Amino acid sequence: MAVKKGKQTVVFQKKIAIEATAAFVGKKEGEGPLKDYFDTVVEDAMYGEKTWEKAESKFVKNTFEEALKKAGLKNSDIDYLVCGDLLNQCSGTVFGTREMGVPYFGIYGACSTFGEALTLGSILIDSGGGKTVLAGTSSHFCTAEKQFRFPLELGTQRPPSATWTVTGSGAAVLKENGSGPVIESATIGKVVDMGIKDAANMGGAMAGAAVDVITAHFRDTGRNADYYDVIATGDLGYIGRDLAVKYLAENGYEMPSSFTDCGIEIFDRKTQDTHSGGSGCACSAVVFCGYFYTLLKESKIKRMLLVPTGAMMSAISGKQGESIPSVSYAVSIERQ
Amino acid sequence: MAVKKGKQTVVFQKKIAIEATAAFVGKKEGEGPLKDYFDTVVEDAMYGEKTWEKAESKFVKNTFEEALKKAGLKNSDIDYLVCGDLLNQCSGTVFGTREMGVPYFGIYGACSTFGEALTLGSILIDSGGGKTVLAGTSSHFCTAEKQFRFPLELGTQRPPSATWTVTGSGAAVLKENGSGPVIESATIGKVVDMGIKDAANMGGAMAGAAVDVITAHFRDTGRNADYYDVIATGDLGYIGRDLAVKYLAENGYEMPSSFTDCGIEIFDRKTQDTHSGGSGCACSAVVFCGYFYTLLKESKIKRMLLVPTGAMMSAISGKQGESIPSVSYAVSIERQ
C-alpha cells in the first residue's frame, strides 16, 4: 500500500527489492570508464542483424533474458513487463520482448523511461497487483541519430552542446521482499517546457524537468542533498548538469560534488569525444544497472536518488517550430 | 489494495469511479450513428491550427479540460495524468497536456492506449498513491495516414480490409469513491504476434491479442460472455471481429450478438465508406467516453467489458519485413 507524500511523491510500504539487473552496451560504452561494470559489450553496432533497429531489439531481448537469469527467474515468474524506448512506437522494446508472453505495460518517457519504469513497477508491486516486475529500456546511437537528426552517412558535424546516444539496454527485476537494494520512494515529474528549441541541446531542455522533480522530491520528503550518497540525473550531460546546479541553488538547494549525471559518468571526456556527454534511454539504465547497482550491492553507497530525464520532442514537432517539453522521475534507492 | 486473480487479472478493492468523461471528435465521426453522444464535433480537420499534429494536440487539450470541467475539478486536483497516443514519441498528448502541471505517466499501447490508461490509472488509485487520475488519448486520421501509410495528397486507394483512423480525443476522470460507473477489474494483455504483415489489415493482426486477453479474463475471473451486457473490443473492425468470434469459439467461448467493436459502432457501414470500420487510439476512447459511458450512467447497461486493441508496429518495422505484434487490455466496468 503506497502512501502519497506531498504533491508528487509516493512512499512504498512494501519492500520492493531490485533483485537483479543486467546492462548490455555497445563498443564505445565498453571503452569508457565504466566498462568493467557491464555484463556484455557488443562490438558490432548491427549485433549480427540486418538493421540497427533489429540490433536494438536484440539488445533488449538479451539484456532482459540476462536480468531474469541473474534473478534466478523465468518469464512465467514475472507478473508484468514495464518497458519502452525512443524508437517510433516504442518498437525497440516491443520487438525485443514479443516472445516473452508476459503481461505488458508499454510506456513512453523518452530518456526518462527507466525512471518511469522503476516507478510504475514499484507502484504495481506496492498495489498488491503483482510481486515481480521486469523494468527496462534501450537506445542505440544509430537508430536515434537516423530517427531524430540526420542520416549517419552524411557525417554531419555535431555541435558542442550535443550528447551521444548510448547504445545498449538496461533491465532490472523488481521483487517483493527480494534481497537487493530497495526502492523506497519515487517522485513523479510534471512535463516542463523551458522553451528551448535546439534539439542539439537536450541537456538544456531537460534541466528544468530535473530541477523541478528534484525540488519536488526534497519538498515532499523534507530531505536535502545531504540525505543521499549519490544523486544522479539521467542524461543532462555537462551543459545540463551545470544548469541544473544553478537552478537548484536558486531554489535553495546547494548540490554537493557527488551530484552527477549518468551521461557524464559513462564516457571519458578527455579520451572519448562525445561533446556534452551521453544520452538516450539506455544511458541512465545501463549506468544504474551496471555501475550504481554494483556500488549499492557492495555497500559502497547506501542511498541514491536516480533521476532519469526525458526530452519529449519528435522529429516532426521540431520541424513545426515546437519547443522541447521534458519530464523526469526521481527514484530513491537504498541499501537496507 | 489490488488483488491479483489468476495470471493476468487485477481486481480493485477500492471504489474507482469514472467520475466524468469527455469525447471530442472530427467531422466524419460527427456524422456517424453516435453523433449525439459526443461533447463537441470539430468540423475543421486543422482545428484552426497550422498542422494536423497541432490540431491533434488541441483535441487533447480541449477534451482533457472538458473532462475535468464535467468532473468539477481543476488541474491541481489531479494526482496523475496517464496518457499517450499514436504519434511518434507520443507527441499528441505531450504537447496537448504540457501546460497542465500534473505529474505525468506517458504510455504507449498503440490503439489499446485507452485500456492501458484506465488499467494503470486504476492501479495507481488502488495502490494508495493517489485519489484522482485523468486517463486519455487521441488520434487523427490525417496524422496517422501521413505517419504510417501514404501522404494523403496521393489519394492512395485503401483496400477493403483497411480501417479509418478516428479523429478525436477521449478522456476519463477516475476518482476514488466517486459517483460514476466503477472499474471493477482489469486483465493485462501479453504481446501477441500472429505473423500478419499487412498494415492494411490491422483488425486481423489485433484479433489474436483481443482473443488472448478476453480468454484470460474469462479464465481468471471464472466468467463468460453472459456476465456482461456488452463486450466491446477497440478497433478490430468487421474483419477482426469476425476472426475474434471464430477464435474465441475455438477457445470454448461462444460470443453473443452483443459482442461488438468500437470501430463498428462509430461509423455507419452503409452511408460512411470506411471499409472495415474505425480505428486509432481515439476509437475506443470516444466510443466509450461518449456512448457506452452514457449507457452505463443511464443504467441502460450495467456491466461492460471494454477491450481496447493495439497494433504495435511502426512505419519502419513494416519496411524491414517485420510482422505486427499486438496487445490488448480488458477493463471491466460496472454500474453500481
Side-chain angles (χ1 to χ4, degrees):
Chain A
M1 190 72 178
V3 171
K4 184 103 180 272
K5 203 162 182 176
K7 187 71 192 154
Q8 290 173 247
T9 301
V10 176
V11 181
F12 304 114
Q13 302 302 297
K14 291 186 177 167
K15 185 185 166 194
I16 299 163
I18 306 178
E19 187 75 358
T21 62
F24 281 39
V25 298
K27 183 167 183 282
K28 191 178 189 83
E29 294 72 21
E31 291 166 351
L34 306 183
K35 60 186 175 188
D36 295 335
Y37 291 94
F38 301 126
D39 293 279
T40 298
V41 176
V42 180
E43 300 274 331
D44 170 19
M46 299 291 266
Y47 213 155
E49 298 289 323
K50 286 188 175 173
T51 68
W52 293 321
E53 287 78 11
K54 287 179 198 277
E56 182 168 340
S57 289
K58 191 167 177 180
F59 267 104
V60 171
K61 185 171 189 291
N62 291 351
T63 305
F64 284 31
E65 277 176 7
E66 180 68 17
L68 282 182
K69 194 174 139 197
K70 286 163 86 173
L73 299 172
K74 48 191 193 303
N75 289 342
S76 58
D77 296 321
I78 300 294
D79 289 309
Y80 308 105
L81 277 178
V82 183
C83 56
D85 61 278
L86 283 176
L87 291 184
N88 296 343
Q89 289 69 57
C90 300
S91 49
T93 41
V94 171
F95 286 95
T97 62
R98 65 178 153 174
E99 287 157 13
M100 291 181 70
V102 176
Y104 185 90
F105 286 112
I107 60 173
Y108 184 74
C111 306
S112 75
T113 292
F114 190 63
E116 186 182 1
L118 292 180
T119 301
L120 279 175
S122 300
I123 288 169
L124 279 160
I125 292 174
D126 219 38
S127 78
K131 294 184 185 306
T132 317
V133 166
L134 183 51
T137 187
S138 66
S139 56
H140 193 301
F141 175 76
C142 303
T143 63
E145 288 296 309
K146 168 183 167 180
Q147 180 177 279
F148 288 109
R149 296 177 191 92
F150 301 97
L152 271 178
E153 296 84 348
L154 281 179
T156 310
Q157 193 172 13
R158 304 166 62 248
S161 59
T163 48
W164 188 278
T165 304
V166 166
T167 298
S169 171
V173 178
L174 313 187
K175 191 177 170 190
E176 185 178 339
N177 295 324
S179 61
V182 167
I183 300 180
E184 177 263 342
S185 65
T187 302
I188 295 98
K190 302 173 288 187
V191 173
V192 174
D193 192 333
M194 298 178 73
I196 288 177
K197 295 188 175 187
D198 180 2
N201 182 13
M202 310 286 270
M206 295 187 294
V211 168
D212 197 68
V213 82
I214 292 170
T215 302
H217 183 77
F218 288 161
R219 182 196 64 216
D220 289 351
T221 60
R223 295 173 187 165
N224 60 33
D226 294 344
Y227 184 85
Y228 292 102
D229 298 321
V230 170
I231 298 177
T233 50
D235 53 353
L236 298 184
Y238 294 96
I239 290 174
R241 180 191 173 280
D242 288 351
L243 284 172
V245 167
K246 180 171 170 272
Y247 298 147
L248 282 163
E250 287 173 10
N251 286 359
Y253 297 106
E254 292 295 334
M255 300 304 280
S257 62
S258 60
F259 176 56
T260 187
D261 180 78
C262 297
I264 291 175
E265 298 290 332
I266 193 165
F267 296 120
D268 186 295
R269 194 172 197 178
K270 286 180 191 158
T271 63
Q272 296 183 293
D273 180 22
T274 61
H275 297 351
S276 191
S279 63
C281 293
C283 183
S284 59
V286 302
V287 172
F288 176 78
C289 293
Y291 179 54
F292 288 122
Y293 183 74
T294 304
L295 298 190
L296 283 161
K297 287 272 278 188
E298 294 175 352
S299 292
K300 289 180 181 160
I301 58 174
K302 298 220 168 145
R303 291 167 174 169
M304 83 168 287
L305 191 67
L306 182 69
V307 191
T309 36
M312 307 286 273
M313 92 293 184
S314 77
I316 285 180
S317 68
K319 284 171 193 147
Q320 295 185 355
E322 289 286 7
S323 51
I324 303 174
S326 300
V327 73
S328 183
Y329 300 84
V331 186
S332 167
I333 303 162
E334 298 184 350
R335 180 81 183 121
Q336 290 188 330
Chain B
M1 188 72 177
V3 171
K4 183 103 182 270
K5 202 161 181 178
K7 187 70 192 149
Q8 290 174 247
T9 301
V10 175
V11 181
F12 303 113
Q13 303 300 295
K14 292 187 176 165
K15 185 184 167 195
I16 299 163
I18 307 178
E19 187 75 358
T21 62
F24 281 40
V25 297
K27 183 167 184 282
K28 192 178 189 83
E29 294 72 21
E31 293 166 349
L34 306 183
K35 60 185 173 189
D36 296 335
Y37 292 93
F38 301 126
D39 293 277
T40 298
V41 176
V42 179
E43 299 275 332
D44 170 20
M46 299 290 266
Y47 213 156
E49 296 290 325
K50 284 187 175 174
T51 69
W52 293 321
E53 288 77 13
K54 288 179 197 275
E56 183 168 340
S57 289
K58 190 167 178 180
F59 267 105
V60 171
K61 184 170 190 292
N62 290 350
T63 305
F64 284 32
E65 276 177 8
E66 179 69 17
L68 282 182
K69 193 175 138 196
K70 286 164 85 172
L73 299 172
K74 49 192 191 302
N75 290 341
S76 57
D77 296 322
I78 300 294
D79 289 309
Y80 307 105
L81 277 178
V82 184
C83 56
D85 61 279
L86 283 174
L87 292 185
N88 295 344
Q89 288 69 58
C90 300
S91 49
T93 41
V94 171
F95 285 95
T97 62
R98 65 178 152 173
E99 288 157 14
M100 290 181 70
V102 177
Y104 185 90
F105 287 112
I107 60 172
Y108 185 74
C111 306
S112 75
T113 293
F114 190 63
E116 186 182 1
L118 292 179
T119 302
L120 279 175
S122 300
I123 288 169
L124 279 160
I125 293 174
D126 220 37
S127 77
K131 294 185 186 303
T132 318
V133 167
L134 181 53
T137 187
S138 66
S139 56
H140 192 302
F141 175 76
C142 303
T143 63
E145 288 296 309
K146 167 184 168 180
Q147 181 178 278
F148 289 111
R149 296 177 190 93
F150 300 97
L152 271 178
E153 296 83 348
L154 280 179
T156 310
Q157 192 171 15
R158 303 166 64 248
S161 59
T163 48
W164 189 279
T165 303
V166 166
T167 298
S169 172
V173 177
L174 313 187
K175 190 177 171 191
E176 186 178 338
N177 295 325
S179 62
V182 167
I183 300 179
E184 176 263 341
S185 65
T187 302
I188 295 98
K190 301 173 287 189
V191 174
V192 174
D193 192 333
M194 299 178 76
I196 288 176
K197 295 189 177 187
D198 181 1
N201 182 15
M202 310 285 271
M206 295 187 293
V211 168
D212 197 67
V213 82
I214 292 170
T215 301
H217 183 77
F218 288 162
R219 183 197 64 217
D220 289 349
T221 60
R223 298 173 185 164
N224 61 33
D226 294 344
Y227 183 85
Y228 292 102
D229 299 321
V230 170
I231 298 177
T233 49
D235 53 352
L236 297 183
Y238 293 97
I239 290 174
R241 181 190 172 278
D242 288 352
L243 283 172
V245 167
K246 178 170 172 275
Y247 298 146
L248 282 163
E250 288 173 9
N251 285 359
Y253 297 105
E254 292 295 335
M255 300 306 278
S257 61
S258 60
F259 176 56
T260 188
D261 179 76
C262 298
I264 291 175
E265 298 291 330
I266 194 166
F267 296 121
D268 186 296
R269 194 173 196 177
K270 285 180 190 155
T271 62
Q272 296 183 294
D273 181 22
T274 61
H275 298 350
S276 191
S279 63
C281 292
C283 183
S284 58
V286 302
V287 171
F288 176 78
C289 292
Y291 179 53
F292 288 123
Y293 183 74
T294 304
L295 298 190
L296 284 160
K297 286 273 277 188
E298 295 175 351
S299 291
K300 288 178 180 161
I301 58 174
K302 298 219 167 144
R303 289 168 176 168
M304 84 166 288
L305 191 67
L306 182 68
V307 191
T309 36
M312 307 285 274
M313 93 291 184
S314 77
I316 285 180
S317 67
K319 285 171 193 146
Q320 295 185 355
E322 288 287 7
S323 51
I324 303 174
S326 300
V327 74
S328 184
Y329 300 84
V331 185
S332 168
I333 304 162
E334 298 184 350
R335 180 79 184 123
Q336 289 188 328

